[in-house]
Amino acid sequence: MPEQVVIAGLSCGDVLEGLSDYLDGTLPEATVGRVEEHLRGCRWCAQFGGEFTTVVQGLRESLGAEPVDEGVSVRLGGRLDALFETAS
Amino acid sequence: MTPTPRCDGELLRESAAGSRSSFEELVRRHQGAVWALVRRVTPSDALAEEALQEAFVAAYRGAASWTGSGSVRSWLLTLARHAAYRHVRRRSGEPPRFEELEELGAAAGWGDPVDLDELIDRMRDRDLVRRALGSLDPSDREILVLRDLLGHSGPETAEALGLELNAMKSRLHRARLRLAAAVRKERRHA
């Protein structure tokens, strides 16, 4: 990492620490403005922020919810049937 | 007129009283989420299937113990985690190394930019993403599944993992950085 800079009162390390909260929209509004100001002024953090966001969004889109295989679901039903029989 | 669907809590209470159909409805609603979690935590689909079955058996047997203080879904996912971890071989007795955030950032590419367009393209490769996710520790995989694949809120994720919200957020951030590092590694090998 090149030498860290402080922009809008935030160092590059502060921005790195807050990236997930920024992405998830859970940073306080005032801090969001400062992070964005830092990103506008620091190409290293802007570039890494782009890479980090791409990876997280790519994970969500590539592997999103996958349906349960039918065989798995059927065998689960069978195991539960046996359980219900025992319990009744 | 279509009847209003019953809430999970109601279905679980009916299950505790012996209603098979109520429990089956809960299984239909949540088996996808439970499967997604156990499949990413355990090392094989066969073990994931065992964990899936064990989680729902535990849920039926323990239905009366649900306190009603959190969501049924989070409770089920907690049972699923416990079932899954019984099938994960523990690594050698060494405790996991604690990495400084800047060390994790550097491994993830902080200060070493990539071609973003190429990365966007590579992230569409499901196999690459699956391999990168699969190379992480189970504790990283489970938090990424809950928060990013299943889209649970922060508080729901924290509840399922038995963590305070801030501890969950810190763990999630570290897991995402490790995933970014793993994606870099996979791209180099591809």
Side-chain angles (χ1 to χ4, degrees):
Chain A
M1 176 72 190
E3 195 173 334
Q4 292 199 35
V5 294
V6 176
I7 298 172
L10 298 176
S11 68
C12 296
D14 294 330
V15 171
L16 172 68
E17 191 175 351
L19 270 181
S20 274
D21 276 332
Y22 178 69
L23 182 64
D24 293 336
T26 51
L27 277 182
E29 204 171 315
T31 312
V32 171
R34 290 165 62 204
V35 168
E36 289 176 348
E37 193 179 334
H38 184 106
L39 293 175
R40 279 193 297 273
C42 175
R43 73 185 177 98
W44 297 107
C45 285
Q47 283 165 331
F48 183 65
E51 177 173 354
F52 183 79
T53 303
T54 300
V55 167
V56 175
Q57 285 178 346
L59 171 69
R60 292 171 180 168
E61 287 161 17
S62 292
L63 296 188
E66 293 174 79
V68 183
D69 298 341
E70 197 183 334
V72 170
S73 194
V74 168
R75 288 188 291 276
L76 172 62
R79 175 88 183 263
L80 294 176
D81 283 344
L83 179 68
F84 296 141
E85 292 304 318
T86 316
S88 63
Chain B
M1 199 171 130
T2 312
T4 311
R6 280 170 301 161
C7 72
D8 286 348
E10 202 176 337
L11 290 172
L12 192 58
R13 278 189 285 272
E14 289 166 4
S15 305
S19 169
R20 179 175 174 156
S21 61
S22 296
F23 193 71
E24 285 170 340
E25 175 60 23
L26 276 178
V27 171
R28 270 192 293 278
R29 286 184 190 179
H30 300 295
Q31 64 177 343
V34 170
W35 177 241
L37 179 65
V38 297
R39 198 170 173 214
R40 299 287 175 217
V41 171
T42 57
S44 72
D45 279 1
L47 292 175
E49 187 170 345
E50 281 186 41
L52 173 83
Q53 293 186 7
E54 287 164 10
F56 279 112
V57 166
Y60 186 71
R61 288 185 175 145
S65 70
W66 180 64
T67 60
S69 63
S71 78
V72 171
R73 187 180 173 93
S74 292
W75 179 72
L76 285 171
L77 288 167
T78 302
L79 294 175
R81 286 184 68 227
H82 293 160
Y85 273 102
R86 280 195 288 274
H87 296 286
V88 176
R89 188 179 301 155
R90 296 284 171 199
R91 295 190 173 185
S92 64
E94 290 177 28
R97 194 169 71 90
F98 183 82
E99 297 146 299
E100 295 295 337
L101 200 61
E102 293 187 7
E103 190 183 346
L104 286 175
W110 190 44
D112 178 22
V114 290
D115 177 342
L116 209 50
D117 289 333
E118 193 252 339
L119 177 63
I120 290 169
D121 196 43
R122 297 310 305 274
M123 288 304 291
R124 294 194 187 106
D125 179 348
R126 288 170 61 94
D127 287 338
L128 182 145
V129 179
R130 198 175 282 132
R131 284 198 305 276
L133 183 63
S135 72
L136 304 180
D137 277 348
S139 61
D140 284 338
R141 294 200 298 264
E142 69 177 357
I143 199 165
L144 293 170
V145 168
L146 292 169
R147 188 75 178 94
D148 289 323
L149 295 189
L150 295 174
H152 286 194
S153 68
E156 283 173 328
T157 304
E159 188 186 340
L161 297 177
L163 296 172
E164 294 295 324
L165 184 60
N166 281 339
M168 185 285 295
K169 284 161 79 169
S170 169
R171 215 173 106 185
L172 173 66
H173 189 46
R174 288 171 171 274
R176 285 172 171 170
L177 287 170
R178 289 194 191 97
L179 177 69
V183 166
R184 280 194 162 228
K185 206 168 171 183
E186 287 297 331
R187 289 172 63 230
R188 277 199 299 272
H189 292 163

